């Protein structure tokens, strides 16, 4: 861009974002709206048989939004509510990955299978408030080819929220050339504006050496100027606001988003959020330690951390 004549007007696609665009975007959704989404997502057709084991899992989420202040919304609930709200605002969503229909660790269940007939039912396809299309597909274990395709799809359809989820975040290293050559440098080299979201379940959780390379530093080493967003959310609400912010910035400040989604926090009580956090909150760059804030004079050491590290520290 520096070689352009200063008087030359940039194409709309590569106009610089307004100052503070990401900070100013409002991602909260009214509680009544979220409750309506949740009610719709929990419904299935009268002639549809949900597997009894899965039905018990779903039943635990039925009352997740009944209270305003109790932390009862887990990672999966927050994600489904975020996707529902994005569809209701008119932004199409494409979600692919190596086990996305049920979720890498059986947490999402975006597509239900009739236990007797095998017929499928996708709750987000039947959301009354939706004003845009939702598509979801399992992808093969060929990360370089698949992420390359999703990158190309994202460039051709920049108005869509395009997301890909790894089975384990470690597997993304197979696509390192695609990441280096396209995802993190497409704008600098070709003035493309990728906004591809990569959901990478974090490593270091006892699954052995082959599942210990889903590392934030892999992407932080690729960060240059403002070429992508890298996040390791600590709570379900943070994940909710992060996805909504990404969707709301598709046309004003598009950037690739790398989300490390630690599998041990998917249902962890300390990672749960309240309805108030979703309905009145926003993305927080820093979350204060509520207990420590009550006794500031006793603080002798400040530790900055994110995601699972915080949970490990407060529970150790």
């Amino acid at each position: 861009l520096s070689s352009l004549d200063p008087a030359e007007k940039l194409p709309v696609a590569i106009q610089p974002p307004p100052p503070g665009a990401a900070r100013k975007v409002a991602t909260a959704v009214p509680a009544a709206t979220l409750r309506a989404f949740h009610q719709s997502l929990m419904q299935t057709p009268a002639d549809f048989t949900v597997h009894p084991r899965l039905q018990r899992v779903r039943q635990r989420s039925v009352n997740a939004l009944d209270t305003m202040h109790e932390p009862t919304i887990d990672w999966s609930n927050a994600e489904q509510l975020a996707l529902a709200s994005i569809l209701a605002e008119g932004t199409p969503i494409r979600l692919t990955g190596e086990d996305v229909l049920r979720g890498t660790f059986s947490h999402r269940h975006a597509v239900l299978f009739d236990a007797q007939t095998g017929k499928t039912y996708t709750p987000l396809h039947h959301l009354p408030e939706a004003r845009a299309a939702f598509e979801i597909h399992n992808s093969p274990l060929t990360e370089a080819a698949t992420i390359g395709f999703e990158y190309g799809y994202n460039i051709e359809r920049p108005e869509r929220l395009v997301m890909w989820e790894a089975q384990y975040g470690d597997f993304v290293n197979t696509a390192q050339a695609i990441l280096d050559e396209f995802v993190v440098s497409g704008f600098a080299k070709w003035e493309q504006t990728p906004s591809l979201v990569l959901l990478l379940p974090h490593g270091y959780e006892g699954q052995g050496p082959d599942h210990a390379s889903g590392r934030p530093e892999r992407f932080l080493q690729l960060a240059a100027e403002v070429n992508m967003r890298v996040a390791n959310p600590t709570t379900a609400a943070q994940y909710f606001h992060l996805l909504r912010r990404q969707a709301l910035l598709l046309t004003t400040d598009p950037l690739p988003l790398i989300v490390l989604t630690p599998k041990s926090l998917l249902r962890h009580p300390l990672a749960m959020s309240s309805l108030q956090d979703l309905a009145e909150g926003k993305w927080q760059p820093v979350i204060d330690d509520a207990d420590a804030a009550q006794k500031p004079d006793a603080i002798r050491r400040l530790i900055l951390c994110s995601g699972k590290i915080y949970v490990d520290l407060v529970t150790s």
Side-chain angles (χ1 to χ4, degrees):
L1 296 180
S2 60
S3 63
L4 293 175
D5 185 328
E8 183 178 347
K9 182 175 176 58
L10 297 176
V12 173
I14 55 173
Q15 287 290 330
R23 293 194 305 273
K24 295 175 182 177
V25 66
T27 55
V29 178
T33 302
L34 292 174
R35 284 177 171 142
F37 293 156
H38 183 64
Q39 183 177 11
S40 297
L41 293 172
M42 294 306 298
Q43 294 177 354
T44 54
D47 61 347
F48 191 92
T49 304
V50 180
H51 192 283
R53 186 177 300 174
L54 177 55
Q55 184 60 26
R56 288 195 295 271
V57 174
R58 286 171 56 81
Q59 196 63 35
R60 289 198 293 267
S61 296
V62 168
N63 301 320
L65 275 67
D66 285 359
T67 65
M68 192 71 179
H69 305 290
E70 293 296 319
T72 53
I73 299 174
D74 65 15
W75 201 276
S76 176
N77 296 148
E79 180 186 76
Q80 292 299 294
L81 292 171
L83 298 182
S85 67
I86 292 167
L87 294 173
E89 291 169 356
T91 298
I93 299 172
R94 173 180 170 85
L95 174 57
T96 64
E98 293 171 338
D99 205 358
V100 292
L101 300 190
R102 70 181 177 98
T104 298
F105 301 101
S106 300
H107 69 284
R108 180 177 293 116
H109 299 296
V111 179
L112 306 176
F113 290 80
D114 190 295
Q116 299 194 7
T117 67
K119 182 175 65 174
T120 62
Y121 179 78
T122 305
L124 283 169
H125 284 169
H126 302 273
L127 190 73
E129 299 87 350
R131 297 193 294 111
F134 173 74
E135 60 175 315
I136 182 168
H137 311 283
N138 283 342
S139 65
L141 296 173
T142 52
E143 292 81 6
T146 304
I147 297 178
F149 179 89
E150 297 304 329
Y151 177 88
Y153 187 100
N154 172 224
I155 294 300
E156 288 297 313
R157 294 290 183 269
E159 76 285 355
R160 296 185 176 224
L161 181 64
V162 181
M163 308 165 64
W164 181 84
E165 182 176 70
Q167 192 171 66
Y168 279 84
D170 320 278
F171 295 169
V172 78
N173 59 9
T174 310
Q176 197 65 44
I178 294 292
L179 299 174
D180 294 349
E181 298 300 324
F182 295 93
V183 176
V184 304
S185 58
F187 181 81
K189 293 194 290 190
W190 303 300
E191 296 180 353
Q192 294 176 336
T193 53
S195 56
L196 179 64
V197 179
L198 298 181
L199 303 177
L200 310 178
H202 204 3
Y204 298 117
E205 298 201 46
Q207 298 299 313
D210 188 42
H211 297 307
S213 61
R215 300 169 180 163
E217 57 267 31
R218 177 191 301 279
F219 297 94
L220 295 177
Q221 288 169 343
L222 296 170
E225 297 179 351
V226 184
N227 65 333
M228 62 177 166
R229 301 181 176 100
V230 182
N232 187 359
T234 306
T235 69
Q238 287 283 81
Y239 183 46
F240 171 87
H241 292 297
L242 187 64
L243 291 181
R244 284 190 42 76
R245 186 179 70 167
Q246 182 74 2
L248 291 167
L249 292 172
L250 289 177
T251 58
T252 56
D253 191 9
L255 286 173
L257 172 62
I258 313 301
V259 187
L260 294 153
T261 56
K263 51 188 177 290
S264 65
L265 299 190
L266 294 176
R267 303 176 185 86
H268 199 292
L270 289 179
M272 289 185 173
S273 298
S274 68
L275 178 58
Q276 183 180 28
D277 294 330
L278 277 59
E280 300 175 9
K282 61 181 180 179
W283 168 260
Q284 301 179 72
V286 178
I287 301 177
D288 196 5
D289 185 328
D291 292 335
Q294 301 300 317
K295 42 189 176 182
D297 294 340
I299 296 174
R300 295 293 179 268
R301 179 179 298 172
L302 179 63
I303 301 175
L304 300 177
C305 60
S306 64
K308 180 177 179 289
I309 297 174
Y310 164 75
V311 174
D312 286 346
L313 285 174
V314 300
T315 55
S316 60

